[in-house]
């Protein structure tokens, strides 16, 4: 059974930022409570058959980056209930109008990571080709004698050493690229929220990634996330603004 403690892992994919924005929550009904969890703002929304806990995945969000939230869901009912990522809604409120915010799904994040790995493989291949070419030129040199006579020479030993070093460097670069890709894939698999059926009493959750809200010229950005569990809708009102303001 996947416990809430798992979804409270640090925001591996959110990255580390030295400065950015923070979020606060506003209760939308008497069944909600805004609170602090380990120094971070959080909100608990409770309905008859489900409870939803939401908090930011990092202490500060990147100003123009994707907001990432940790969502925990508890089935309080006696029957299994479904959670579907496709049913999560997000809208930004600007000047009295609502604008949709895309929910970035696990499948989208996986495709982005695959694209990143392709680009990384290309750059690694170019670097490896450069190493190999440089090594192929090793051992060749020029000399000039005291009498002014010039010529060229070739050292098989120097060439073998250079080619061996290049091969080792290339292998290390390729292995590092592969390991980074595998590590990122594993982090996505573990952290990002997905479709799930919750049995009675079960907790489930993970990271919910949203498209960046539109910048408001330094003013707070307000948006709403609606999380549906079974037939119950949890409305989460959020304000995001510069840290310390």
């Amino acid at each position: 059974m996947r416990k809430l403690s798992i979804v409270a892992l640090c925001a591996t994919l959110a990255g580390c930022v030295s400065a950015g924005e923070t979020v606060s929550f506003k209760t939308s009904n008497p069944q909600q409570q805004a609170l602090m969890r380990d120094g971070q703002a959080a909100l608990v929304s409770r309905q008859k058959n489900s409870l939803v806990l939401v908090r930011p995945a990092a202490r500060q969000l990147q100003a123009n980056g994707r907001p990432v939230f940790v969502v925990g869901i508890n089935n309080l009912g006696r029957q299994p209930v479904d959670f579907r990522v496709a049913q999560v809604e997000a809208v930004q409120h600007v000047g009295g109008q609502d604008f949709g915010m895309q929910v970035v799904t696990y499948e989208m994040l996986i495709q982005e990571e695959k694209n990143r790995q392709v680009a990384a493989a290309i750059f690694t291949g170019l670097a490896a080709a450069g190493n190999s070419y440089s090594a192929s030129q090793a051992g060749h040199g020029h000399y000039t004698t005291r009498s002014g006579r010039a010529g060229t020479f070739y050292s098989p030993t120097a060439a073998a050493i250079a080619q061996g070093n290049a091969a080792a460097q290339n292998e290390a670069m390729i292995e590092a690229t592969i390991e980074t890709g595998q590590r990122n894939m594993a982090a996505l698999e573990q952290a990002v929220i997905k479709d799930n059926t919750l049995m009675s009493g079960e907790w489930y959750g993970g990271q919910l990634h949203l498209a960046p809200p539109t910048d408001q010229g330094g003013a707070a950005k307000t948006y709403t996330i609606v999380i549906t569990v079974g037939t119950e809708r949890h409305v989460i009102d959020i304000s995001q603004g510069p840290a310390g303001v």
Side-chain angles (χ1 to χ4, degrees):
M1 183 182 297
R2 193 172 183 184
K3 300 295 185 179
L4 183 60
S5 59
I6 294 179
V7 309
L9 291 170
C10 66
T12 304
L13 303 174
C16 298
V17 292
S18 56
E21 298 180 333
T22 58
V23 302
S24 60
F25 297 93
K26 180 181 178 181
T27 58
S28 61
N29 61 70
Q31 300 303 311
Q32 292 186 349
Q33 179 182 5
L35 42 79
M36 298 294 291
R37 301 293 293 176
D38 192 27
Q40 291 183 263
L43 184 133
V44 176
S45 177
R46 179 170 183 146
Q47 295 194 23
K48 181 180 178 180
N49 294 311
S50 61
L51 181 148
V52 170
L53 171 64
V54 180
R55 70 166 178 81
R59 296 189 181 278
Q60 291 189 4
L61 305 182
Q62 190 173 1
N64 296 310
R66 290 173 177 167
V68 181
F69 295 90
V70 173
V71 177
I73 304 169
N74 185 209
N75 178 10
L76 303 175
R78 297 183 177 181
Q79 301 297 324
V81 294
D82 288 337
F83 166 77
R84 296 285 182 263
V85 176
Q87 293 180 326
V88 176
E89 305 168 42
V91 293
Q92 183 179 2
H93 313 295
V94 181
Q97 295 183 309
D98 292 342
F99 300 89
M101 296 172 63
Q102 184 181 41
V103 175
V104 185
T105 66
Y106 168 75
E107 290 75 19
M108 293 177 183
L109 292 168
I110 284 292
Q111 187 58 54
E112 288 180 358
E113 174 58 24
K114 289 180 178 179
N115 293 342
R116 188 205 65 78
Q117 290 184 25
V118 169
I122 291 173
F123 285 119
T124 300
L126 291 174
N131 279 345
S132 297
Y133 176 77
S134 296
S136 70
Q137 301 304 305
H140 294 274
H142 299 271
Y143 69 88
T144 302
T145 66
R146 292 182 179 181
S147 62
R149 180 182 175 186
T152 61
F153 67 87
Y154 175 72
S155 170
T157 300
I161 292 174
Q163 291 168 7
N165 289 339
Q169 291 173 359
N170 290 346
E171 184 177 355
M173 285 193 302
I174 292 170
E175 287 181 355
T177 300
I178 294 173
E179 288 176 2
T180 298
Q182 291 175 340
R183 185 167 57 250
N184 290 346
M185 286 290 196
L188 288 170
E189 174 64 35
Q190 182 181 34
V192 180
I193 200 166
K194 310 172 191 67
D195 294 351
N196 197 73
T197 297
L198 286 80
M199 308 307 291
S200 177
E202 183 179 9
W203 277 99
Y204 172 73
Q207 291 181 355
L208 178 68
H209 295 240
L210 303 177
T214 302
D215 182 69
Q216 299 302 303
K221 294 166 276 193
T222 59
Y223 47 97
T224 298
I225 304 173
V226 180
I227 298 173
T228 301
V229 184
T231 59
E232 298 179 341
R233 289 164 56 87
H234 296 263
V235 179
I236 315 296
D237 290 328
I238 300 169
S239 176
Q240 177 181 331
V245 177

